């Protein structure tokens, strides 16, 4: 019987210093059953290519695209290139804690039918220090199901929970490669493509295993693309469109609670309303109108 290994892909476009930390965190894993592939989206700086070339480890592959294609295509490339039974697509500014590979492989061994594994996540700032933000407090203390042991979730209950508020951390997830390949990223929703793909998997009958062991550090900082999209309001426009689709998909499945959760999009609306005072001070009338419309559900 072939031993299970984890394919780790890192789509790269950004700060080479953060990327080095990500690579170093893979090299520091206590469990050696991993393969790392860096998918360079034609970043105009040879730093990482030179850095990886200096690492004498046959488990590491560097793949550079001929032209920049954007994050969705880099995700697709990663999933298509995967050769192991399990695959993770990690952010190029995130950090795997030393027990990440061990945690997800042991979880897979114990729950071989789980299609997605969500390990415990630590949130860090730009400097790598643990932080507590309002968004992450809501995700981890209110939205995420509570359990001190691994918890297997699926069906309408899981879909409803995520549509009320997405408590997952996409870069930390490990997928069964065959399972994630049965769906595709929705190009029309680049802002919320991670949730869209996972909901599509749940609609297919796929399951998610929630593992409490903290093994991943998710970097949240103001320079991220998602933070900029929140400030100008465009993230919420994309969310409105997606939740409308999700409600229709849930209705077609006969999942009334999930449909209601998508139509309410409660935490997304509350998030938008929470940003209105800052927008009033900035006098950004366009973003203000977008936030207010989204927050009021009109």
């Amino acid at each position: 019987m072939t031993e299970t290994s984890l394919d780790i892909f890192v789509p790269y476009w950004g700060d080479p210093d953060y990327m080095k930390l990500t690579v170093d965190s893979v090299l520091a894993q206590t469990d050696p059953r991993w393969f790392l592939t860096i998918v360079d989206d034609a970043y105009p700086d040879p730093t990482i290519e030179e850095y990886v070339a200096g690492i004498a480890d046959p488990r590491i592959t560097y793949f550079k695209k001929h032209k920049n294609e954007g994050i969705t295509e880099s995700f697709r490339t990663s999933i298509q290139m995967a050769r192991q039974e399990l695959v993770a697509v990690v952010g190029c500014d995130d950090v795997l804690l030393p027990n990440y590979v061990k945690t997800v492989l042991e979880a897979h061994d114990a729950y071989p039918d789980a299609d997605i594994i969500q390990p415990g996540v630590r949130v860090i700032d730009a400097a790598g220090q643990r932080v507590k933000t309002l968004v992450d407090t809501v995700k981890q203390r209110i939205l995420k199901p509570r359990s001190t042991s691994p918890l297997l979730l699926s069906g309408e209950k899981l879909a409803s929970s995520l549509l009320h508020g997405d408590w997952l951390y996409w870069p930390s997830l490990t997928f069964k490669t065959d399972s994630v390949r049965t769906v595709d990223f929705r190009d029309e929703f680049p802002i919320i493509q991670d949730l869209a793909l996972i909901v599509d998997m749940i609609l297919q009958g796929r399951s998610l295993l929630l593992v409490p062991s903290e093994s991943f550090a998710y970097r949240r900082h103001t320079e991220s693309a998602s933070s900029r999209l929140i400030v100008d309001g465009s993230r919420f426009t994309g969310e409105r469109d997606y939740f409308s689709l999700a409600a229709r998909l849930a209705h077609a499945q006969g999942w009334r609670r999930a449909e209601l959760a998508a139509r309410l999009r409660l935490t997304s609306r509350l998030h938008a309303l929470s940003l209105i005072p800052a927008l009033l001070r900035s006098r950004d009338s366009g973003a203000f109108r977008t936030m207010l419309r989204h927050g009021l559900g009109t």
Side-chain angles (χ1 to χ4, degrees), residues 6 28 117 145 149 166 194 245 292:
L6 174 65
I117 299 171
S149 58
D166 184 5
D194 49 351
L245 171 64
L292 185 62

Side-chain angles (χ1 to χ4, degrees), residues 91-145:
C92 62
D93 58 355
D94 297 319
V95 175
L96 280 66
L97 301 184
N99 64 329
Y100 179 83
V101 172
K102 181 176 185 290
T103 296
V104 297
L105 290 182
E106 287 183 349
H108 172 68
D109 288 342
Y111 297 83
D113 292 332
D115 300 286
I116 310 168
I117 299 171
Q118 171 65 83
V121 173
R122 167 191 309 177
V123 180
I124 58 175
D125 61 14
Q129 299 300 308
R130 186 193 291 264
V131 292
K132 291 184 178 180
T133 69
L134 176 60
V135 169
D136 295 297
T137 298
V138 171
K139 282 168 71 90
Q140 298 191 5
R141 298 294 181 88
I142 299 176
L143 298 174
K144 186 177 76 172

Side-chain angles (χ1 to χ4, degrees), residues 39-293:
V39 180
D40 188 331
D41 199 17
Y43 191 67
D45 182 331
T47 300
I48 293 303
E49 185 171 8
E50 294 168 354
Y51 180 70
V52 173
I55 300 174
D57 193 315
R59 295 171 296 176
I60 300 179
T61 301
Y62 179 87
F63 172 75
K64 186 160 188 173
K65 295 188 176 187
H66 297 299
K67 63 177 182 179
N68 178 260
E69 296 181 315
I71 189 61
T72 300
E73 282 304 320
S74 289
F75 284 162
R76 274 201 187 96
T77 299
S78 299
I79 299 301
Q80 291 167 358
M81 291 180 66
R83 294 294 178 266
Q84 304 304 313
E85 184 177 352
L86 300 175
V87 59
V89 184
V90 176
C92 62
D93 58 355
D94 297 319
V95 175
L96 280 66
L97 301 184
N99 64 329
Y100 179 83
V101 172
K102 181 176 185 290
T103 296
V104 297
L105 290 182
E106 287 183 349
H108 172 68
D109 288 342
Y111 297 83
D113 292 332
D115 300 286
I116 310 168
I117 299 171
Q118 171 65 83
V121 173
R122 167 191 309 177
V123 180
I124 58 175
D125 61 14
Q129 299 300 308
R130 186 193 291 264
V131 292
K132 291 184 178 180
T133 69
L134 176 60
V135 169
D136 295 297
T137 298
V138 171
K139 282 168 71 90
Q140 298 191 5
R141 298 294 181 88
I142 299 176
L143 298 174
K144 186 177 76 172
R146 294 287 188 91
S147 180
T148 57
S149 58
L151 179 64
L152 190 64
L153 303 166
S154 63
E156 184 177 13
K157 182 177 181 181
L158 175 57
S160 300
S161 177
L162 292 173
L163 290 169
H164 275 304
D166 184 5
W167 42 267
L168 299 174
Y169 289 87
W170 164 265
S172 71
L173 298 176
T174 285
F175 296 87
K176 270 188 180 178
T177 304
D178 288 344
S179 298
V180 73
R181 280 180 175 159
T182 62
V183 295
D184 192 11
F185 295 98
R186 293 181 179 269
D187 291 307
E188 66 272 33
F189 301 114
I191 307 304
I192 199 169
Q193 62 188 334
D194 49 351
L195 178 61
L197 181 137
I198 290 166
V199 169
D200 283 344
M201 291 183 69
I202 297 168
L203 288 165
Q204 286 186 344
R206 307 296 182 180
S207 60
L208 181 144
L209 180 67
L210 184 59
V211 180
S213 301
E214 186 178 83
S215 56
F216 191 91
Y218 175 82
R219 194 181 304 275
R220 192 179 291 283
H221 51 88
T222 56
E223 296 305 313
S224 69
S226 58
S227 295
R228 292 192 294 272
L229 291 169
I230 287 172
V231 170
D232 70 15
S234 58
R235 177 183 179 90
F236 295 106
T237 300
E239 287 189 3
R240 282 173 61 89
D241 293 340
Y242 172 67
F243 282 118
S244 177
L245 171 64
R248 296 195 299 273
L249 293 173
H251 179 81
Q253 193 85 357
W255 288 359
R256 304 307 183 197
R257 287 179 298 163
E259 179 186 357
L260 179 61
R263 294 198 186 284
L264 287 175
R265 61 182 193 279
L266 187 58
T267 55
S268 178
R269 289 166 57 193
L270 290 173
H271 188 192
L273 290 173
S274 73
L275 299 171
I276 285 179
L279 289 173
L280 285 172
R281 292 192 294 271
S282 70
R283 299 182 180 181
D284 187 336
S285 59
F288 171 79
R289 287 193 296 271
T290 297
M291 299 289 191
L292 185 62
R293 179 169 176 258

